[in-house]
Amino acid sequence: MSVPPGAEPTLWELHRAVSQLREDLRGDLAQLAARLDQVVTQDVYRADQRATEQRIGQLESSVADLRGEQEQAAGRWEQQRREDQRQADAMRRLVLSSFVSPLLIMVVQLWLLSGGSAS
């Protein structure tokens, strides 16, 4: 129902418009109240942020400790690897000299027996 320009609304139309505004306002206030129930205070938010920062700090400390332990373990492993390599080299030299020395002595004796007595 449209109102011609210049015509004033009736009391019933005004009552209906005010009632509609009241219902809209109640719905909006209920929505706002529902949203405010989900909002926390600044104190609670700050306390939660401090707790989160504290947990992050502890985790960072734990990660740094683990990283240090890992680096120490890597250093010990590298040192052990070098020591094992030195031992393997020493064993190779020992085995080589234990086979080469008798052969060399035998060759020298054979040379001395064959060429050394003819001189």
Side-chain angles (χ1 to χ4, degrees):
M1 172 173 177
S2 64
V3 177
E8 293 186 17
T10 63
L11 288 177
W12 178 250
E13 290 173 339
L14 285 176
H15 173 71
R16 199 172 59 179
V18 168
S19 296
Q20 182 64 38
L21 283 173
R22 184 181 298 161
E23 290 299 317
D24 289 346
L25 185 60
R26 282 185 183 152
D28 291 345
L29 287 175
Q31 288 177 353
L32 182 61
R35 290 183 64 195
L36 286 176
D37 285 342
Q38 298 174 354
V39 175
V40 296
T41 64
Q42 286 184 351
D43 295 336
V44 171
Y45 177 76
R46 287 184 187 133
D48 183 56
Q49 287 299 318
R50 282 192 301 271
T52 301
E53 289 173 6
Q54 188 177 27
R55 283 194 314 261
I56 289 172
Q58 290 172 348
L59 289 173
E60 286 174 345
S61 174
S62 296
V63 167
D65 292 344
L66 288 174
R67 185 174 291 133
E69 290 174 11
Q70 189 271 337
E71 289 173 357
Q72 287 177 355
R76 286 191 306 266
W77 181 82
E78 183 65 28
Q79 185 177 3
Q80 183 64 40
R81 188 190 64 77
R82 284 191 301 259
E83 181 63 30
D84 290 346
Q85 184 66 37
R86 280 192 294 261
Q87 287 178 356
D89 291 343
M91 185 60 73
R92 252 185 256 118
R93 283 190 301 270
L94 180 65
V95 168
L96 185 61
S97 64
S98 68
F99 285 117
V100 170
S101 295
L103 287 176
L104 186 61
I105 291 173
M106 188 171 60
V107 167
V108 169
Q109 284 179 349
L110 287 174
W111 180 74
L112 287 174
L113 287 175
S114 66
S117 60
S119 315

